[in-house]
């Protein structure tokens, strides 16, 4: 069986779950408490981060982008990385924007401080980081709204990996109640479309002990 | 003309320069002082980071991994991302290891503190960061040596993007005299092979005002 090692609130693992579900590839989810640094897991992924995917044939695939590129090459029927060279550039660039900039400026400051730090027993959330994270989130929501107003999907006319990368980060923040949807109507309209896809259902059913998502989290009509 | 916006000591820009030279694709280098945040450059790459590549046909490609994947698809004669699915997974995973882990643990602490901070007028190097960077560099050199002893190149039997990603980071650190080659003979043997490739010559000729590389920097027989 295909196995995905994950943490429920990891945006990178969520992105891969969405891609697997869009491609209708069955898989088993396995919780990996990365802070325990299990030697068996480090042997699969020396960075010790989630996600890692293992295939039935023994192939071990660490790192979310490596996994997404692999899945698009191994199961090309439903492609999420684009067809033309230009489309592929835009999709990869927007995906990297979310996985690097949004991650460093927003997810690192809010999600990590509020969820990973307490769980991994690394101290209390840092107030300055939270402030920085909220300020950056407002700018990023405007940018998402701007993209959503000028194109049908975040990287162009077609649904792509870039939408799932962005939605993965936002869904984890939405789980902890940090997204002010009322202030970002264009971003909300785009997110509502992604969130109502069948591939999103499993994410909306996630429960994490110690956290209660706000009522709108799993509501498709939020 | 193809243009690469870069900074001479950026490991990500160096990786792309190596890939372009390996593929024998002519290009013009253009210095981009990222800290000036030029609006014309931000229009090409909203993250404001180097590298960005622009093609003669108008295609704008920001972000080093997006550029490398694009170059391998657009100019596949000399492929650096591998042939089989398994090779491609390993090459992308090892490349990400250097561009994320090595970057965060070593390059961020040494290269950024010593070169980018003074040039961008962001204050003096932080002593704790430097200590952390040197300690991490020793571990990473051992890991590179371990890889180089168990396989011909860092991601397997063939030369690949992973070698250029690693060599790009190391070459920038070597420029500022931070690599203790004597303590890492296996890593040194591998690096000597990469460094003697014709694609490396332009990097070895780099001069950066305010920095004097150690004599061994450009010496192929160091
Ligand atoms: N760039 C990596 C990042 C993965 C990552 O940072 N995952 C986090 C969870 S969101 C993690 O596992 N952190 C645990 C740790 O750093 O020890 C990817 O895309 O897979
Ligand atoms: N992941 C990006 C990282 C690029 C990056 O961080 N570049 C640095 C130089 S090594 C930079 O431009 N920094 C300037 C800034 O952050 O303003 C890539 O691979 O292109």
């Amino acid at each position: 069986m295909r196995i995905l090692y994950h943490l429920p609130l990891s945006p990178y693992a969520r992105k891969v779950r969405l891609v697997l579900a869009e491609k209708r590839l069955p898989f088993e989810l396995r919780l990996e408490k990365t802070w325990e640094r299990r030697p068996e897991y480090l042997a699969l992924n020396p960075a010790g981060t989630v996600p890692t995917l293992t295939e039935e044939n023994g192939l071990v695939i660490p790192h979310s982008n490596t996994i997404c590129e692999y899945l698009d090459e191994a199961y090309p029927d439903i492609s999420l990385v684009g067809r033309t060279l230009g489309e592929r550039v835009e999709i990869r660039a927007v995906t990297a924007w979310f996985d690097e900039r949004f991650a460093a400026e927003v997810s690192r400051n809010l999600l990590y401080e509020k969820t990973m730090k307490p769980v991994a027993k690394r101290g209390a959330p840092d107030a300055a980081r939270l402030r920085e994270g909220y300020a950056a989130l407002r700018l990023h929501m405007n940018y998402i709204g701007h993209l959503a107003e000028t194109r049908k999907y975040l990287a162009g006319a077609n649904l792509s990996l870039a939408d799932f990368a962005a939605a993965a980060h936002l869904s984890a923040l939405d789980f902890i109640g940090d997204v002010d949807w009322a202030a970002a109507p264009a971003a909300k309209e785009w997110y509502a479309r992604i969130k109502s896809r069948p591939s999103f259902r499993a994410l909306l059913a996630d429960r994490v002990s110690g956290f209660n998502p706000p009522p709108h989290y799993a509501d498709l009509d939020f």
Side-chain angles (χ1 to χ4, degrees), chain A residues 147-170:
Chain A
L147 289 176
E149 276 173 339
T150 47
R151 359 168 110 175
K152 184 151 181 227
Y153 290 100
L154 295 191
N158 301 309
L159 181 75
S160 78
L161 183 60
D163 297 285
F164 297 116
H169 282 277
L170 278 177

Side-chain angles (χ1 to χ4, degrees), chain A residues 94-172:
Chain A
V94 177
T95 301
W97 172 271
F98 287 101
D99 282 345
E100 297 185 12
R101 307 300 289 194
F102 189 99
E105 296 167 6
V106 183
S107 309
R108 165 64 187 83
N109 289 326
L110 299 179
L111 201 62
Y112 175 82
E113 290 295 318
K114 292 187 179 189
T115 69
M116 191 75 164
K117 251 177 139 178
V119 169
K121 302 201 168 48
R122 291 184 192 149
D126 174 333
R129 285 227 177 234
L130 297 180
R131 265 197 311 277
E132 226 179 279
Y134 286 119
L137 178 55
R138 278 190 293 274
L139 297 177
H140 277 277
M141 291 302 281
N142 290 343
Y143 186 62
I144 293 170
H146 162 75
L147 289 176
E149 276 173 339
T150 47
R151 359 168 110 175
K152 184 151 181 227
Y153 290 100
L154 295 191
N158 301 309
L159 181 75
S160 78
L161 183 60
D163 297 285
F164 297 116
H169 282 277
L170 278 177
S171 72

Side-chain angles (χ1 to χ4, degrees), chain A residues 201-220:
Chain A
R201 273 184 214 140
L203 269 60
L204 299 180
D206 269 351
R207 290 298 168 263
V208 183
S209 85
F211 296 91
N212 270 320
H216 75 252
Y217 171 73
D219 184 355
L220 296 186

